[in-house]
Amino acid sequence: MAHHDLVVIGTGSGNTFIDERFADLDVAIVEHGVFGGTCLNVGCIPTKMYVYAADVAETIRHAHTYGVDGTVDKIRWTDIRDRVFGRIDPISDGGRSYRVDRSPNVTVYFGHARFTGERELGVERTDGSGTDTVTGDRIVIAAGSRPSIPPLVRDAGVPFETSDTVMRIDDVPRRLAILGGGYIASEFAHVFSALGAEVTVIARGPKLLRHLDDTLSDRFTEVAIARWDCRLGRQVTALSGDGSGGPGEVEITLDDGSTVVADTLLVATGRMPNGDRMDLDRGGVTVHADGRVAVDEYQRSVSAAGVWALGDVSSPHQLKHVANHEAKIVGHNLAHPDDLRATNHDVVPAAVFTEPQIASVGMTETEARDAGFDIAVKVQNVGDVAYGWAMEDRTGICKLVAEKGTGRLLGAHLLGPQASTLVQQLIQAMVFGQTVSEIATGQYWIHPALPEVIENALLGLEI
């Protein structure tokens, strides 16, 4: 048995707060997978590197719109893949080396952690050589999440990929079927269709990205239907195939009797917190109905003294910037137990890096109405401002939701070029309490830059 002052489970955001504040403590880190967590290895960073390559390919294909003739002569998938992981893998290795070789107060356990008692863990070593018993005065659960696999897929025994694996395949499949209608499905549909695959998207709901404001979800679904084979409102009833007809070939039967045959099946039906694999109950750690570790506003377990949690394993937002915020809160609160800070989840933005790009913050129109607000709504077309006109944009929109009387901005929802960048000034305005009038008229808006779509949307709100 080894005892430590602090034990951190997971090397994603949980690894980021262990700095000079903890130099005098005996710290342990437990990692059962690749060093660096989801974002670095299988999430935000590699996917966006693929997205950028896809964006470039699509730009070339549509260059004729502007009087520039261009063709995509070849997609060098392995070069794209190796560019991505040729950069990411060394970062992961470097993080591992830093903690193992250059952090004298840190002990790294490579294995899977399960609670065996109050602030006590059994760490099953990755190499299978045995189990270490580890205890800590304080334990931080930052174990992340994993792809959720529907039982029908899992039990069928067919070959499939997830977001954790699909980016390292050897070739672009000729026919790719994507099961799911959320942000992971939408991003990979864009990537693989732009890089040469025939993409079929299968979703239970009547439209894609249903968590978005209805106007954006409806608009994106229209664009998606024009670009991909979208089987919406459909349930998978059967799957068959063992790869004998090609690399991972699968036949998918839907509830309307139709079938989809694909060389590769990508399951993108969401992610689930990893707490269910940790015997949390043996450590007195309670969870929500959806499996997330239950924490208070300071990121402390609501039931187990000395246990903290952050990121996908506990957060209502599966977003790296939220996990990083929570890690800062945990780091401060561990280092300053007499000066606790609360997590702020009031204004949490998110983006979907598909085509067209999407960004959202705050309430949707429906949420605002359901909450009883008297609201003003404005939808501004990107193509109606000078730069959008120059881009020949026909689908982009900026939708704003504001409270009448106060002029308070309640929500901002953008679909179109540079959406994830444009939304930032609206995030800032909401955080610092600026009114619609103050945002619109209290500053210069560069003409004819794309942010004018936001200016015009603000001016169009009848508050």
Side-chain angles (χ1 to χ4, degrees):
M1 180 181 294
H3 181 79
H4 302 275
D5 298 321
L6 174 65
V7 179
V8 178
I9 306 170
T11 59
S13 293
N15 184 39
T16 61
F17 70 81
I18 305 171
D19 52 25
E20 64 276 359
R21 294 172 297 179
F22 303 93
D24 294 332
L25 298 184
D26 180 352
V27 179
I29 296 176
V30 183
E31 176 56 65
H32 75 157
V34 182
F35 226 85
T38 297
C39 175
L40 174 64
N41 294 290
V42 295
C44 326
I45 297 175
T47 54
K48 302 320 168 280
M49 292 179 74
Y50 276 103
V51 164
Y52 192 80
D55 289 347
V56 170
E58 287 295 283
T59 298
I60 295 170
R61 289 193 182 97
H62 293 95
H64 64 276
T65 303
Y66 314 102
V68 179
D69 293 331
T71 59
V72 178
D73 297 329
K74 184 179 182 180
I75 298 295
R76 302 195 310 275
W77 169 263
T78 54
D79 286 356
I80 295 172
R81 181 196 64 190
D82 295 347
R83 169 182 172 265
V84 172
F85 293 106
R87 295 186 179 185
I88 286 172
D89 290 346
I91 297 173
S92 174
D93 292 341
R96 173 185 173 127
S97 175
Y98 175 74
R99 287 303 184 200
V100 172
D101 301 323
R102 300 193 300 281
S103 299
N105 67 312
V106 176
T107 302
V108 180
Y109 295 89
F110 293 101
H112 181 73
R114 295 180 184 273
F115 279 84
T116 55
E118 183 179 341
R119 294 194 299 281
E120 179 180 286
L121 304 170
V123 180
E124 302 160 9
R125 297 174 193 159
T126 304
D127 62 10
S129 61
T131 300
D132 295 303
T133 300
V134 178
T135 60
D137 292 336
R138 294 175 292 180
I139 293 180
V140 177
I141 305 170
S145 62
R146 66 185 186 278
S148 177
I149 310 301
L152 180 64
V153 176
R154 185 179 61 244
D155 297 342
V158 297
F160 64 88
E161 304 288 343
T162 70
S163 56
D164 283 3
T165 63
V166 74
M167 288 182 283
R168 292 187 186 261
I169 61 177
D170 291 329
D171 297 292
V172 176
R174 184 170 67 85
R175 301 165 300 178
L176 175 68
I178 302 177
L179 187 58
Y183 73 95
I184 297 174
S186 300
E187 290 186 354
F188 278 116
H190 167 48
V191 166
F192 280 100
S193 62
L195 299 181
E198 300 172 10
V199 170
T200 301
V201 178
I202 304 167
R204 293 179 300 174
K207 56 185 180 179
L208 301 177
L209 297 176
R210 290 184 294 162
H211 68 286
L212 296 175
D213 181 273
D214 287 337
T215 303
L216 267 70
S217 181
D218 291 342
R219 179 69 61 92
F220 178 73
T221 300
E222 292 174 8
V223 174
I225 289 172
R227 187 177 179 191
W228 311 314
D229 177 12
C230 294
R231 311 292 182 93
L232 304 181
R234 296 272 67 91
Q235 298 273 2
V236 176
T237 58
L239 300 100
S240 61
D242 58 6
S244 59
E249 185 175 281
V250 175
E251 181 173 304
I252 306 159
T253 304
L254 306 180
D255 58 354
D256 62 353
S258 65
T259 60
V260 175
V261 178
D263 303 302
T264 300
L265 169 64
L266 171 60
V267 179
T269 50
R271 296 181 68 87
M272 60 187 296
N274 283 326
D276 63 325
R277 294 180 168 180
M278 301 179 67
D279 294 337
L280 295 174
D281 58 321
R282 299 185 65 181
V285 179
T286 60
V287 298
H288 294 287
D290 59 5
R292 291 179 297 113
V293 174
V295 297
D296 64 12
E297 67 270 33
Y298 305 114
Q299 299 300 132
R300 300 176 300 191
S301 166
V302 298
S303 59
V307 177
W308 307 67
L310 64 92
D312 287 0
V313 79
S314 62
S315 181
H317 306 280
Q318 290 186 345
L319 297 164
K320 178 62 172 176
H321 43 277
V322 174
N324 285 343
H325 168 69
E326 293 173 354
K328 291 176 183 177
I329 294 297
V330 169
H332 172 84
N333 290 343
L334 289 171
H336 305 282
D338 297 325
D339 178 32
L340 297 182
R341 294 177 181 171
T343 301
N344 183 350
H345 289 153
D346 290 343
V347 181
V348 178
V352 187
F353 292 82
T354 183
E355 174 57 38
Q357 197 177 104
I358 296 166
S360 183
V361 62
M363 292 183 177
T364 66
E365 178 181 353
T366 298
E367 289 170 344
R369 293 191 189 281
D370 289 347
F373 287 101
D374 182 17
I375 61 172
V377 176
K378 173 63 178 178
V379 178
Q380 175 69 50
N381 291 325
V382 171
D384 288 343
V385 301
Y387 206 87
W389 186 53
M391 299 175 77
E392 298 283 350
D393 187 274
R394 293 178 171 83
T395 59
I397 53 175
C398 172
K399 179 176 182 178
L400 302 182
V401 180
E403 183 180 24
K404 289 184 178 179
T406 67
R408 181 161 60 112
L409 188 61
L410 300 176
H413 312 279
L414 290 82
L415 178 149
Q418 302 175 32
S420 64
T421 300
L422 292 175
V423 76
Q424 191 64 47
Q425 57 194 310
L426 296 171
I427 298 168
Q428 181 171 322
M430 291 174 67
V431 168
F432 293 104
Q434 291 179 297
T435 66
V436 166
S437 177
E438 288 171 334
I439 309 167
T441 63
Q443 60 184 318
Y444 279 107
W445 295 82
I446 295 175
H447 177 77
L450 201 54
E452 283 188 319
V453 70
I454 294 175
E455 179 191 21
N456 287 1
L458 291 164
L459 293 171
L461 284 166
E462 297 181 358
I463 56 172

